Amino acid sequence: MTSPTVDFGAQTRLVARLAEHVTEEQLGAVTPCPDYAVHHLLGHVVGLTGAFRDAARKDLGPTTNTDPGSFVPDVEPDWRSVLPKLLDELAEAWRDPQAWEGMTRAGSVDLPGAVAGAVAMDELVVHGWDLARATGQDYAPDTPSLEAAHSLLAEAAKDPNGGGLFGPVVPVPSDAPLLDRVIGLSGRDPGWTPA
């Protein structure tokens, strides 16, 4: 899956840069997530970033007990200052080797720390792509972040009852770029563009 050596710094900085360049006019734009406009997607990223920061710290409570599927998220007025801070805190929290050990909780689910770390990275990689595609920005995650996301999603895709962690896998050629393979495994079409 992933290991404690995976550093979140490059991916959190990338997501922060993407968010910084979202214009007010783009907040209502469609995203690859069918029920989310950009402002919903950003609200989800704010929420998951706080939740996985707290999961790494084993600071269990309201952020880690919230089922993300129970509501449609939205941004608060201060999201532009809150999100970069949360992303920095998440990266720092997962640098602690103890974050990857024992059990923790995220999304109202108890899970091993190493699994929580893998899920957190996958969320940042996939939703970073969602945000980049929805707002017309370039997106090039670092290889360790992509490999961590790919490992989690490829393992989940082996489940005979499923077909993917976030929806049916979209077939992608085995020689496609790693980012395209990650996105396909996440249940998204790597060729998605706003209509």
Side-chain angles (χ1 to χ4, degrees), residues 10-149:
Q11 186 61 26
T12 55
R13 287 190 299 272
L14 177 54
V15 171
R17 280 196 304 273
L18 291 170
E20 179 184 0
H21 290 99
V22 173
T23 67
E24 291 299 309
E25 294 75 24
Q26 290 174 323
L27 290 175
V30 298
T31 73
C33 305
D35 298 327
Y36 284 10
V38 169
H39 62 96
H40 299 123
L41 176 61
L42 286 164
H44 179 61
V45 173
V46 168
L48 75 87
T49 302
F52 281 104
R53 173 205 60 195
D54 293 346
R57 294 173 175 174
K58 311 293 195 290
D59 183 11
L60 309 184
T63 60
T64 61
N65 290 334
T66 302
D67 176 357
S70 64
F71 66 100
V72 176
D74 207 343
V75 289
E76 298 292 332
D78 60 352
W79 73 270
R80 288 188 186 275
S81 60
V82 169
L83 181 56
K85 181 177 182 288
L86 286 173
L87 287 163
D88 285 346
E89 290 172 354
L90 178 142
E92 188 58 36
W94 285 101
R95 288 186 181 114
D96 182 348
Q98 292 185 24
W100 301 86
E101 298 171 2
M103 295 295 291
T104 191
R105 187 171 181 83
S108 75
V109 176
D110 294 321
L111 65 172
V115 174
V119 172
M121 180 61 81
D122 175 67
E123 290 276 344
L124 290 175
V125 168
V126 173
H127 290 315
W129 180 86
D130 292 334
L131 185 59
R133 280 300 172 105
T135 59
Q137 298 186 62
D138 292 334
Y139 188 60
D142 64 300
T143 300
S145 296
L146 284 172
E147 288 175 342

